[in-house]
Amino acid sequence: MIKITLPDGSIKEFEKGTTPMEVAKSISEGLARNVISAKFNATTVETTTPLNTDGDLVLYTWKDNEGKKAFWHSTSHVMAQAIQDLYPGAKLTIGPAIERGFYYDIDFGDQKISESDFKKIEDRMLEIARGKHDFQMREVSKQEALDFYKKESNPFKVELIENLEDGDITFCDHDTFTDLCRGGHIPNTGIIKAVKLMNVAGAYWRGDENNPQLTRVYGISFPKQKELKEYLEFLEEAKKRDHRKLGKELELFTFSQKVGQGLPLWLPKGAALRERLENFLKKAQKRAGYEMVVSPHIGSKELYVTSGHYAKYGEDSFQPISTPNEGEEFMLKPMNCPHHCEMYNASSWSYRDLPKRFAEFGTVYRYEQSGELHGLTRVRGFTQDDAHIFCMPEQLDEEFKKVIDLTLYVFSSLGFEDFTAQVSLRDPENKEKYIGSDDVWEKAESAIINAANEKGLNYVVETGEAAFYGPKLDFMVKDALGRSWQLGTIQVDYNLPERFDLTYKGSDNESHRPVMIHRAPFGSMERFIAILLEHTGGNFPLWLMPEQAIILSLSEKYEKYSQKVLSLLENHEIRALVDNRNETIGKKIREAEMNKYPYMLIVGEQEANDGTISVRKHSEGDLGTMKIEDFANLINTEINSTLKPFKTEV
């Protein structure tokens, strides 16, 4: 007999060789009908894999991420079979599951594939799926595997197999199809009820532009047709909210090939938006005891050698800039933290001076491959709302909790209410990826977990996700479409103070090493604004909107009164503009709605005579006629409901 431990901690005994599916059946027939994947002792297994030792078993359904991963990976096999049936000679390479769906990289040779071919491939996939073919894993020798793919004239699979160890090679069979595969499948093809191919793109073999270019076919699948329908509706809504589309429509930012890929240009409205966000955080930071600093856009190469950034990122970053002086090299700033360490080093500090909190909206530069650039979310130059806190070890816990408070204040002020925290620790099996001793890592990891517990955060622990210099607390925010984004990060660092020889004089009159906290509630201004755009659909919180109201005059006769209304609004610090065009009021209202002005103030003869305005609210309609003073109170009440002052604990 073997002992199987389930996620709830219960332990059940089974005969040796029992499969995960049989374990599921022993719990309930309903569970067995829904189980599609499993992990045993943290290793992905098939639902038909015999279990021969004691261990921990997790069963997954479609509702679990691991279940979706198995579902989509299995569908990639079905798509590969369909493509080989329809395009004889097509050479398969790799076909993983991704965050939403799957892809397969394929060499079609002289054959072409486009979106017009998707329907016939989807039909063939569903035909295969209806056959309810079992996915079956089998071990093969290295020679057998090589012979199989050499016979198929597939150099890509041959290359993969040549890098594998004999004894670690498995094939997956279903129907008449065989593929090189490590495993992780659903029980059979019949579970796949709906498929949709999404797009095709070019991809270099193994991501190397010196290798052959392949065709990457993306797709997604579901266990119910209804779920595919809902997903396609979700995509349509996501298209409407795409920050690149909204940024252009709202005249916030643009890009120029002449300026360079991945380098956004902020237009007047976008620059004003950024400024409001910066001022919002600066005000809160001032209350929290931060001091603003400014560092240059470049730094000596030696600075980043000292910090460890050059060794970690140098080869994949912008290359050093040489000067006329031999041996003198500078780099575009990839991080703000080394500069802040040198600012700390510019003075001598006592324990009475700590903590020191340096904050900066610092622009940094990192080279991203052109294929990885995406609007504002992946750029080559971006501004971080960076701050570094230098404190005594005994102050670490309190300072870390204060940073959590500031981060949560930012989220609540901008409408991000649904989030989880992720404690990112180093990979204990791969310590060479990180700098610093075991002792300092253990202290830093404990400090983060303790603070997260004390603040009552809903958090998960992810091993192997730490920064190379220390563990971190990342905030994963869900937007209005239910998508998760990493926003805001807090990191504990014992390593940079060591590298830069940072010290303070303690109460014992001896030199001690401070602890460093890195934090950025926004992460970067570019990425944050992109996510905020998609979360709100461009309908920002009222306090952040470029214009909070637009004055629509019924005709040019009321231009003078429109300007008077504008002046009165400006006296109340309400941002507004006048639309005096010779257009119908209906057209002006429609265009104001499309441009997402929060309030439309209509003025005509009656309003001019009475000293009032007729108020419409975006997407809600008519609010009636009111005095300017009453409208100003309405605006302030709405702003105060979301933008509360940041309060520090006494």
Side-chain angles (χ1 to χ4, degrees), residues 20-21 34-39 43-49 60-61 66-78 95-97 104 133-138 157 170-174 177-189 191-192:
M21 185 59 76
N34 289 302
V35 164
I36 58 175
S37 179
K39 272 191 178 179
T43 299
T44 299
V45 295
E46 309 294 298
T47 57
T48 55
T49 300
Y60 298 111
T61 70
E66 287 293 330
K68 288 183 175 68
K69 183 179 177 182
F71 195 96
W72 288 331
H73 171 61
S74 303
T75 312
S76 77
H77 283 302
V78 175
Y104 218 117
H133 307 291
D134 292 340
F135 288 98
Q136 297 178 323
M137 297 294 296
R138 60 185 168 97
K157 297 285 191 183
T170 50
F171 279 178
C172 179
D173 302 318
H174 77 268
F177 181 76
T178 295
D179 205 354
L180 175 70
C181 187
R182 286 195 297 264
H185 305 92
I186 58 179
N188 65 73
T189 62
I191 303 168
I192 303 166

Side-chain angles (χ1 to χ4, degrees), residues 19 92 163 185 216 229 304 329-330 340 362 478 483 492 524 576 596 613 644:
T19 67
L92 306 175
N163 291 317
H185 305 92
R216 179 168 292 179
K229 181 174 178 288
Y304 308 115
E329 291 183 306
F330 288 84
H340 291 189
K478 275 197 173 180
R483 299 171 298 184
V492 176
S524 81
K596 305 183 187 299
I613 49 176
K644 296 178 171 63

Side-chain angles (χ1 to χ4, degrees), residues 20-192:
M21 185 59 76
E22 289 167 340
V23 173
K25 284 179 181 175
S26 76
I27 297 170
S28 78
E29 285 294 331
L31 176 62
R33 282 194 298 273
N34 289 302
V35 164
I36 58 175
S37 179
K39 272 191 178 179
F40 187 62
N41 290 335
T43 299
T44 299
V45 295
E46 309 294 298
T47 57
T48 55
T49 300
L51 308 178
N52 295 311
T53 63
D54 296 347
D56 299 327
L57 179 67
V58 184
L59 301 168
Y60 298 111
T61 70
W62 166 254
K63 293 180 180 178
D64 302 303
N65 287 336
E66 287 293 330
K68 288 183 175 68
K69 183 179 177 182
F71 195 96
W72 288 331
H73 171 61
S74 303
T75 312
S76 77
H77 283 302
V78 175
M79 182 180 75
Q81 180 188 4
I83 285 174
Q84 282 204 322
D85 288 349
L86 295 168
Y87 299 86
K91 294 177 175 57
L92 306 175
T93 65
I94 57 170
I98 53 178
E99 186 179 0
R100 285 192 176 88
F102 55 88
Y103 70 77
Y104 218 117
D105 285 347
I106 301 168
D107 180 1
F108 282 90
D110 295 332
Q111 303 176 91
K112 301 291 183 186
I113 182 174
S114 67
E115 292 188 10
S116 62
D117 300 307
F118 285 0
K119 179 68 167 59
K120 68 179 179 183
I121 299 171
E122 291 163 357
D123 289 345
R124 178 63 184 133
M125 290 172 69
L126 290 172
E127 183 183 349
I128 294 165
R130 285 192 289 270
K132 297 183 179 178
H133 307 291
D134 292 340
F135 288 98
Q136 297 178 323
M137 297 294 296
R138 60 185 168 97
E139 292 184 7
V140 293
S141 70
K142 188 168 186 174
Q143 193 57 54
E144 284 178 290
L146 287 170
D147 290 344
F148 180 86
Y149 281 108
K150 283 177 180 176
K151 186 178 178 183
E152 290 205 343
S153 302
N154 188 327
F156 308 103
K157 297 285 191 183
V158 169
E159 183 180 326
L160 291 172
I161 294 163
E162 284 173 343
N163 291 317
L164 298 174
E165 294 293 325
D166 210 346
D168 293 335
I169 302 171
T170 50
F171 279 178
C172 179
D173 302 318
H174 77 268
D175 192 19
T176 60
F177 181 76
T178 295
D179 205 354
L180 175 70
C181 187
R182 286 195 297 264
H185 305 92
I186 58 179
N188 65 73
T189 62
I191 303 168
I192 303 166

Side-chain angles (χ1 to χ4, degrees), residues 309-336:
H309 290 103
Y310 186 76
K312 191 72 180 173
Y313 301 117
E315 288 184 6
D316 299 321
S317 191
F318 288 106
Q319 294 305 293
I321 305 163
S322 297
T323 75
N325 291 335
E326 189 176 346
E328 186 178 51
E329 291 183 306
F330 288 84
M331 293 189 69
L332 290 173
K333 179 172 62 172
M335 292 275 194
N336 296 302

Side-chain angles (χ1 to χ4, degrees), residues 341-504:
C341 287
E342 285 299 288
M343 290 179 184
Y344 180 92
N345 258 344
S347 301
S348 298
W349 305 105
S350 156
Y351 70 97
R352 293 188 183 90
D353 301 315
L354 301 187
K356 295 299 295 181
R357 307 180 186 97
F358 293 156
E360 174 179 14
F361 286 90
T363 302
V364 298
Y365 303 89
R366 299 180 196 167
Y367 183 75
E368 297 277 3
Q369 296 284 347
S370 58
E372 295 174 344
L373 298 172
H374 182 82
L376 295 180
T377 59
R378 292 292 291 270
V379 290
R380 289 173 172 168
F382 53 94
T383 302
Q384 294 180 307
D385 57 316
D386 226 344
H388 297 95
I389 301 165
F390 304 90
C391 63
M392 295 184 288
E394 56 266 36
Q395 295 172 320
L396 174 62
D397 185 64
E398 188 64 29
E399 286 300 310
F400 201 90
K401 286 184 285 188
K402 285 180 180 178
V403 176
I404 291 175
D405 288 339
L406 181 62
T407 302
L408 298 185
Y409 168 72
V410 169
F411 290 171
S412 66
S413 298
L414 289 154
F416 290 108
E417 303 293 346
D418 188 358
F419 62 87
T420 56
Q422 176 178 301
V423 176
S424 300
L425 309 179
R426 70 172 172 169
D427 181 356
E429 304 298 320
N430 201 3
K431 292 181 181 178
E432 67 275 7
K433 284 170 55 180
Y434 311 94
I435 55 178
S437 68
D438 288 347
D439 181 54
V440 298
W441 272 89
E442 286 164 11
K443 285 180 184 175
E445 289 176 342
S446 295
I448 289 182
I449 291 170
N450 290 341
N453 285 329
E454 284 192 42
K455 284 295 172 185
L457 294 181
N458 175 24
Y459 71 90
V460 295
V461 175
E462 291 290 345
T463 301
E465 294 296 317
F468 75 95
Y469 50 78
K472 57 182 178 171
L473 181 68
D474 292 324
F475 289 87
M476 315 301 291
V477 174
K478 275 197 173 180
D479 69 11
L481 295 180
R483 299 171 298 184
S484 287
W485 300 88
Q486 191 259 306
L487 268 188
T489 185
I490 316 170
Q491 301 168 2
V492 176
D493 187 353
Y494 287 86
N495 291 303
L496 284 186
E498 189 77 33
R499 284 174 168 265
F500 282 91
D501 194 24
L502 307 184
T503 62
Y504 66 92

